Amino acid sequence: MFEKVLFPTDFSEHAQKNLECIGEIPGVREVTLLHVVDATHPSKLGWTHGPEIENAKIRLEEQKKRLESLGLKAGVKVDVITEGDIPRAILETADKEKASLIVMGARGRSRIQGLLLGSVSLNILRHARTHVLILRYNLALERFCPRIISKVLCPTDFSEPSEAALSFVKDLEGVGEVVLVHVVHRGETEEEIEANVKEAKKRLEDIGREASSAGLKVKTHVHVGSPPEEICSVAEEEDISLVAMGRHGKGWLRELLLGSTTHDVARNVKRPFLLVHTGDPYQPP
């Protein structure tokens, strides 16, 4: 599933903590460490990026040795860009390396500037053609990493993409428990809302029964309200170790390249977040 990982790093303290998580991700065999040097704004002093490039190479080699000590194959890449931007450089490297997973931190701190998700991470989520794992900079990662797939929350709007995301999670080796949640967010009357809740409970029970027959422990939730808010609430209530969502759907997830609910959950949830790429890797969406 996640045999080949791309790990972009800015060498921050948070990035270092995220690196320590990679060995806990099931199935990882090879990691490409990437640092992007932004040389798109020439200095009046001329080329001044030499020391930064050399320092990046040294630090990447140190991180490579750390990964190799964990039994992983590791490679390093310093990409110096003179045009474009950092997200594009990361995505191009992911395409070239055919990475099966991009692991990134979320550095956003202002609710005005992309809420709790940094702009680089948000752009990767919007345009990646493979799976993306976002690790919060402010999480106690030492608590989440060793059990990152022990209790996975899978929101569903009963669309094919959300079903595909659930199927992907069920196939992950070592999943302990799957929590299913559907949020009823439409209804003109109390009777209509209640009918939608009843129908959702039945559909979730059917999905849960099928997953249980495959040997998984399953729990279901049906909530009424705003899908992003309710999903984040369930993640906290259930002490979820990972939230996994698909990119598109018929109801919540259909807007733009990254559905509005997926987008909002990724920006706000205080847990590791996995965007499951449900299409063909490296094919246009």
Side-chain angles (χ1 to χ4, degrees), residues 88-121:
R88 183 186 301 177
I90 293 171
L91 292 169
E92 288 176 352
T93 299
D95 287 3
K96 183 177 179 180
E97 298 289 333
K98 300 218 178 300
S100 49
L101 177 69
I102 302 172
V103 177
M104 298 197 65
R107 296 288 303 280
R109 301 176 186 180
S110 167
R111 290 188 173 271
I112 296 176
Q113 298 176 353
L115 291 180
L116 299 179
L117 189 64
S119 60
V120 173
S121 300

Side-chain angles (χ1 to χ4, degrees), residues 52-68:
E52 181 182 356
I53 294 169
E54 293 306 312
N55 182 58
K57 291 178 180 178
I58 293 170
R59 299 186 72 171
L60 288 178
E61 286 296 330
E62 292 172 350
Q63 293 184 345
K64 176 184 175 182
K65 291 178 181 178
R66 170 58 181 159
L67 292 174
E68 289 174 339

